[in-house]
């Protein structure tokens, strides 16, 4: 299946609604209707533009690194357009050498991006109202930043099921264009940290953390995630710490549920 | 950006050490294959999680666990990143937090963070 093929064909709202109402539901997501329409795409696109601008700084940094690794403009642009996962792309390009370590690159990409499974699963309370093409088409465009924006939007009760797709398209456009600019700028920019580009991802996540903070209920899971990820980052290669931090916090929450 | 202009200029001059101009737009078959393999495993991770949970009826207990994932994953990305940084990064991260709280503007917060980290790195 080509996940992009769903991009231009949003369904009418309400088409897939109903019939799946769990009888025991008292949770907010179950009571909200979730629509998949142009309005959701539009709002998602516009909301994501400031974040996509930040990501573009990161995309320029990726283009610079890709250029230094010997990728052509076309190759770097193709990677950004199809993989669409910043951290894994930068790590893959860091592994780039002659001959290409194909297995290492592909497996590392998989490991770095495993966290997307958790992120996708977290969308299920809202996405269960959507059709498979809507779900999987939207998920192609999921990256860290627009996923977090989408969670914020859905948690607010907007019912905008197409928000992920709209915000993802904004991210995709800025990511591909900035990659191309980065490859061209590559030779002369030199060290990305001189312009603070290397800090953009951290800044994006600090901003998102400020928005996702739900007060006291967030405290225990966040402390668990923080402790687990810092320790795991020290002990394990790659980005396993992201997966472990998220899983540890979820596990603790499942155990604490009755209290 | 002057940087971009310089890169283009050096390309046109043929002074770029690694590749001639034509190679800039070339697609090596092996590189394309690796990129498509990266795409395949990435799509697998993006759709795999929800594919699984759609086939399993979730208890409220499990959903509570899923609900803490967004914030927890953001923190798990941030923790080691900040631990590896220094006073400049911590100070800039603190400023991003303050600007977010006060203004709720992501763009303003990001710009503040990037400007601050460059300034702080110059000081430290």
């Amino acid at each position: 299946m080509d996940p992009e093929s769903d991009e231009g064909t949003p369904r009418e709202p309400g088409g897939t609604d109903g019939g799946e109402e769990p009888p025991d539901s008292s949770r907010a997501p179950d009571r909200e209707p979730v629509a998949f329409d142009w309005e959701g795409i539009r709002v998602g696109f516009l909301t994501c533009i400031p974040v996509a601008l930040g990501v573009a700084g990161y995309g320029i940094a990726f283009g610079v690194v890709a250029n230094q690794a010997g990728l052509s403009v076309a190759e770097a642009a193709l990677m950004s357009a199809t993989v669409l996962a910043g951290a894994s792309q930068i790590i893959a390009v860091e592994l780039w050498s002659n001959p290409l370590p194909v297995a290492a690159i592909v497996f590392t990409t998989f490991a770095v991006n495993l966290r997307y499974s958790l992120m996708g699963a977290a969308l299920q309370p809202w996405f269960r109202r959507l059709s498979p093409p809507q779900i999987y088409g939207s998920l192609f465009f999921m990256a860290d930043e627009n996923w977090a924006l989408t969670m914020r939007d859905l948690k607010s009760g907007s019912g905008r099921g197409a928000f992920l797709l709209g915000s993802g398209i904004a991210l995709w456009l800025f990511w591909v264009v900035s990659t191309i600019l980065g490859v061209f700028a590559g030779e002369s920019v030199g060290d990305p940290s001189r312009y603070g580009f290397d800090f953009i991802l951290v800044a994006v996540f600090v901003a998102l953390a400020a928005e996702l903070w739900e007060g006291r209920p967030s405290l225990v899971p966040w402390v668990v995630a923080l402790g687990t990820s810092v320790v795991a980052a020290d002990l394990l290669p790659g980005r396993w710490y992201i997966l472990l931090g998220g899983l540890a916090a979820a596990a603790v929450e499942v155990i604490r549920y009755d209290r | 950006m002057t940087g971009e202009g310089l890169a283009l200029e050096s390309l046109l001059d043929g002074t770029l050490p690694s590749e001639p101009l034509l190679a800039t737009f070339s697609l090596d078959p092996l590189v394309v294959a690796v990129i498509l393999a990266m795409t395949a495993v990435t799509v697998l991770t993006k759709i795999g999680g929800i594919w699984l949970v759609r086939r399993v009826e979730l208890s409220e207990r499990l959903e509570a666990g899923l609900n803490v994932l967004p914030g927890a994953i953001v923190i798990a990305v941030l923790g080691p990143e900040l631990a590896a940084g220094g006073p400049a990064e911590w100070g800039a991260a603190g400023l991003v937090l303050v600007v977010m709280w006060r203004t709720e503007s992501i763009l303003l917060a990001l710009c503040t963070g990037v400007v601050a980290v460059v300034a702080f790195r110059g000081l430290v």
Side-chain angles (χ1 to χ4, degrees):
Chain A
M1 170 195 163
D2 175 15
E4 272 180 287
S5 60
D6 194 44
E7 179 184 340
T9 58
R11 308 302 158 93
E12 285 307 305
T16 58
D17 230 21
E20 261 192 75
E21 215 61 51
D24 61 335
S25 81
S26 56
R27 305 189 57 79
D30 296 325
R31 294 198 305 264
E32 297 155 8
V34 175
F36 196 90
D37 54 14
W38 279 110
E39 174 65 6
I41 292 180
R42 195 183 66 83
V43 174
F45 189 92
L46 293 177
T47 309
C48 193
I49 282 181
V51 174
L53 271 172
V55 169
Y58 195 50
I60 290 174
F62 166 70
V64 170
V65 185
N67 169 270
Q68 284 161 0
L71 271 80
S72 71
V73 171
E75 289 161 352
L78 178 70
M79 192 190 287
S80 282
T82 61
V83 178
L84 190 61
S88 71
Q89 287 179 233
I90 288 186
I91 290 168
V93 157
E94 276 171 10
L95 293 171
W96 224 258
S97 55
N98 205 3
L100 270 184
V102 177
I105 288 172
V106 174
F107 183 75
T108 306
T109 302
F110 180 69
V112 171
N113 290 334
L114 254 184
R115 68 184 187 285
Y116 286 133
S117 293
L118 293 179
M119 296 181 182
L123 290 165
Q124 169 65 2
W126 298 276
F127 271 31
R128 72 166 133 237
R129 314 296 184 78
L130 308 182
S131 73
Q134 289 168 347
I135 294 170
Y136 299 122
S138 296
L139 284 170
F140 173 82
F141 291 92
M142 178 175 69
D144 304 272
E145 293 81 6
N146 70 318
W147 165 81
L149 287 178
T150 302
M151 289 302 295
R152 182 188 62 159
D153 189 69
L154 291 172
K155 281 188 170 182
S156 78
S158 73
R160 284 188 278 258
F163 190 97
L164 184 71
L165 181 59
S167 56
I169 292 170
L171 209 61
W172 185 90
L173 281 175
F174 279 79
W175 182 238
V176 173
V177 170
S178 63
T179 296
I180 294 169
L181 288 180
V183 179
F184 278 124
E187 290 298 318
S188 42
V189 165
D191 181 7
S193 65
R194 244 175 60 206
Y195 303 101
F197 285 176
D198 58 319
F199 188 72
I200 289 171
L201 189 74
V202 177
V204 166
F205 274 80
V206 170
L208 292 173
E211 299 201 313
L212 287 168
W213 175 253
E214 286 176 346
R216 236 184 146 64
S218 297
L219 188 62
V220 171
W222 284 29
V223 167
V224 170
L226 181 68
T228 308
S229 63
V230 170
V231 172
D234 246 8
L235 300 177
L236 298 168
R239 298 258 169 155
W240 289 104
Y241 63 86
I242 297 174
L243 198 64
L244 285 175
L247 282 177
V252 165
E253 193 64 15
V254 166
I255 294 166
R256 292 170 74 239
Y257 183 69
D258 296 325
R259 292 172 204 177
Chain B
M1 291 279 285
T2 52
E4 194 188 322
L6 279 175
L8 284 170
E9 204 171 278
S10 65
L11 270 172
L12 294 172
D13 289 349
T15 51
L16 205 63
S18 47
E19 319 168 336
L21 184 58
L22 268 180
T24 310
F25 299 99
S26 72
L27 284 169
D28 181 281
L30 176 63
V31 170
V32 171
V34 171
I35 289 171
L36 292 183
M38 288 173 66
T39 300
V41 294
T42 303
V43 167
L44 204 66
T45 62
K46 286 182 180 178
I47 68 176
I50 206 162
W51 186 87
L52 259 177
V53 295
R54 273 167 69 80
R55 272 144 192 83
V56 185
E57 192 58 40
L58 284 186
S59 65
E60 289 204 2
R61 175 184 285 268
L62 261 179
E63 267 191 37
L66 283 181
N67 277 337
V68 305
L69 277 178
I73 293 173
V74 167
I75 292 302
V77 172
L78 264 181
E81 205 82 53
L82 286 176
E89 285 78 16
W90 301 334
L95 269 180
V96 173
L97 210 54
V98 170
V99 173
M100 274 307 288
W101 264 330
R102 285 295 168 91
T103 68
E104 294 193 355
S105 159
I106 297 174
L107 190 56
L108 193 61
L110 293 184
C111 290
T112 305
V114 169
V115 171
V117 84
V118 172
F120 290 163
R121 279 172 183 165
L123 292 174
V124 176

